[in-house]
Amino acid sequence: MKKSVDVEIAITHVLTRKKQTMVAALGVAIGVGIYLFMNSLSSGFTKFSRDEIFKNNAHIKIYQNDEISKPIIRRFSNGNTAVIVNPQITTLSKKIINPEKLLTLVKSQPFVTTAISQVSFDAFYNRGKAQLRGTGSGVNISDYNTMFNLEKYIVAGATSTLSNNKNGIIIGSGIAEKLSLGLNDNITVSSSYNIVKVLRIVGIFKTGNSLNDQQKCYVNLSTAQQFVKEGPSFVSTIFANTPDPEKSEIYAKKIQKLTSYTVEDWKTTNADVLSGDKTRSAMMRAISMSILLVAAFGIYNILSSTISQKINDIAILKATGFSGKDIIQIFVLEALIMGCIGTVMGLLLGGILIEIMSNIYMGGPVGYFPITFELDLFLNSLILGVFLTFCAGFFPALKASKVDPVAILRR
């Protein structure tokens, strides 16, 4: 019975002070809405950043790393002559020995979804006196397309054409524009090993990444092996994808146990990009949390003011049998009512902002603004909004519960 009376008193306080209730709820709504929007924005940019990385980077790569030459004599006594060698990168081949066996072994791992081999080479694109410098990749184009979905970025031709044309090449749109080349035109490509080939353009891609579009090309594995003067067994890199890229470090350590070659996960390769993402995310969360805390202090101030104004009413309630717990319950309920109203309004506000921004076309590789509805963020915003308003109401209520009715009524 007393509990229903506590609820009735709390609702009465909220309804009789509509202006203060709406001000408090509006403050929470703005705080929750901005918190939801900014965290959705941060999450959207992080996903966009990941997508950009994975356009041509696998979760894990295996390659022969550079080695530093070592002194001929490491230890010597007084009777020996010291032989000094200036440490520098050795000229050993980047070749992976028996790549087919290693590729099969990697593919057999339960945490590997797909794996491919690649031959990388420095490329020079020539047309008349014009020359561009770039990089080339020799791949099995069907396997490469499965891993990186290159077909998605093809603006002329098709990736499948490369499989049937040993003298074919797929180039970036930047190369095509600078050399005034189009589909089915011939392009002269030379490598740093002075191998020159005339290849037919069977595809043009545009990823939106200027570095790739202006420098990158794809050829068949056999063509790339000829560019670096190597045989048909030569492979410079093995790429592998996993079910969860966030666990790539764990999977990389497992693969490292299978081979002596360098195994590197994408987080290590792109440490600078990830550092920037973390900084941006932390900054946005700090700003949005600050706004939400300010809204919570608004409720705290309103309840503190209400308690000061109704100190005599509180004393009467305690004198008529209401306990300290009842007083806490009354004012906490007031805070939760205002907080819940504000939180729901905030979720609607955040949702509207997300919907508006998600329909703004940014152009270029970004496309539409990188922000989407995420259920987890909505739930986090809901829980955080209610929790902070509970805290904002609990401390003033605790103060009110300690009021001495005798001292108040004697005034």
Side-chain angles (χ1 to χ4, degrees):
M1 181 67 180
K2 187 173 285 188
K3 286 185 179 180
S4 62
V5 174
D6 294 344
V7 174
E8 187 176 344
I9 293 173
I11 293 175
T12 301
H13 281 178
V14 170
L15 294 177
T16 54
R17 303 169 68 87
K18 294 179 181 177
K19 186 176 181 180
Q20 287 187 343
T21 299
M22 289 310 299
V23 168
L26 186 59
V28 174
I30 293 173
V32 170
I34 296 299
Y35 178 85
L36 173 60
F37 173 72
M38 295 194 72
N39 280 279
S40 297
L41 187 63
S42 176
S43 177
F45 272 112
T46 298
K47 286 184 177 180
F48 172 75
S49 177
R50 297 288 191 278
D51 291 341
E52 286 295 297
I53 289 173
F54 294 138
K55 278 183 179 178
N56 55 8
N57 284 277
H59 301 166
I60 297 171
K61 66 178 180 178
I62 306 169
Y63 63 100
Q64 172 72 280
N65 202 357
D66 294 322
E67 294 184 359
I68 304 298
S69 59
K70 301 174 183 178
I72 296 176
I73 300 178
R74 287 172 174 259
R75 297 178 182 178
F76 55 89
S77 61
N78 294 332
N80 293 330
T81 301
V83 179
I84 301 174
V85 175
N86 182 30
Q88 56 186 330
I89 296 175
T90 61
T91 57
L92 294 176
S93 171
K94 299 295 184 181
K95 181 178 181 179
I96 294 178
I97 306 299
N98 202 350
E100 286 297 326
K101 180 179 179 181
L102 180 57
L103 183 62
T104 302
L105 183 61
V106 171
K107 285 182 175 180
S108 68
Q109 301 306 304
F111 51 82
V112 172
T113 55
T114 180
I116 64 170
S117 55
Q118 175 180 287
V119 175
S120 301
F121 62 96
D122 294 324
F124 298 89
Y125 311 107
N126 306 280
R127 189 182 188 191
K129 293 183 179 180
Q131 185 182 75
L132 296 176
R133 183 173 182 176
T135 58
S137 293
V139 295
N140 181 317
I141 196 63
S142 59
D143 291 341
Y144 189 90
N145 191 47
T146 299
M147 177 174 281
F148 297 111
N149 194 18
L150 180 62
E151 187 69 38
K152 176 183 176 181
Y153 306 103
I154 294 293
V155 293
T159 56
S160 58
T161 311
L162 184 63
S163 300
N164 304 320
N165 192 335
K166 296 301 180 182
N167 291 318
I169 185 173
I170 298 174
I171 62 173
S173 58
I175 301 171
E177 290 172 7
K178 289 184 177 181
L179 297 180
S180 298
L181 293 168
L183 193 65
N184 296 321
D185 285 344
N186 291 331
I187 182 174
T188 303
V189 182
S190 57
S191 70
S192 55
Y193 290 82
N194 294 321
I195 302 299
V196 181
K197 284 182 173 292
V198 177
L199 304 175
R200 181 176 293 277
I201 299 172
V202 298
I204 300 173
F205 65 87
K206 185 175 183 178
T207 63
N209 185 318
S210 59
L211 190 63
N212 285 331
D213 295 343
Q214 295 179 18
Q215 297 185 9
K216 190 79 173 178
C217 77
Y218 297 96
V219 297
N220 287 295
L221 269 172
S222 58
T223 304
Q225 288 161 350
Q226 292 171 25
F227 272 128
V228 294
K229 291 185 176 179
E230 294 287 351
S233 64
F234 178 80
V235 167
S236 59
T237 313
I238 291 177
F239 291 135
N241 272 357
T242 62
D244 185 0
E246 295 302 321
K247 297 180 180 178
S248 59
E249 310 104 306
I250 300 173
Y251 299 138
K253 290 178 181 178
K254 292 181 179 180
I255 294 178
Q256 187 65 80
K257 296 178 180 178
L258 306 176
T259 177
S260 60
Y261 297 113
T262 300
V263 180
E264 187 174 279
D265 64 277
W266 70 274
K267 291 184 179 180
T268 302
T269 307
N270 300 278
D272 54 340
V273 177
L274 294 180
S275 178
D277 288 344
K278 288 180 180 179
T279 301
R280 181 186 63 245
S281 179
M283 182 178 66
M284 287 190 172
R285 288 186 179 182
I287 293 172
S288 57
M289 181 62 76
S290 298
I291 296 172
L292 194 54
L293 286 173
V294 170
F297 271 110
I299 291 181
Y300 176 87
N301 289 331
I302 288 174
L303 286 180
S304 295
S305 175
T306 301
I307 289 169
S308 298
Q309 294 173 5
K310 295 184 175 296
I311 193 72
N312 290 333
D313 295 342
I314 294 170
I316 293 171
L317 287 174
K318 294 196 73 175
T320 55
F322 283 79
S323 64
K325 290 183 179 180
D326 294 321
I327 303 300
I328 291 175
Q329 183 172 316
I330 290 170
F331 288 101
V332 167
L333 279 172
E334 286 187 43
L336 287 176
I337 291 171
M338 291 185 285
C340 288
I341 293 172
T343 299
V344 172
M345 292 170 59
L347 294 178
L348 291 173
L349 174 63
I352 291 171
L353 291 174
I354 293 171
E355 178 65 21
I356 292 172
M357 294 302 294
S358 65
N359 286 293
I360 296 177
Y361 187 73
M362 305 299 293
V366 178
Y368 286 95
F369 202 87
I371 186 171
T372 55
F373 291 93
E374 294 186 38
L375 181 60
D376 289 347
L377 290 177
F378 273 82
L379 291 176
N380 288 341
S381 301
L382 173 64
I383 294 170
L384 190 58
V386 174
F387 174 74
L388 287 179
T389 52
F390 169 81
C391 293
F394 177 78
F395 293 106
L398 184 63
K399 179 181 177 182
S401 69
K402 296 178 180 179
V403 167
D404 183 359
V406 176
I408 296 298
L409 293 174
R410 279 179 177 175
R411 295 178 183 177

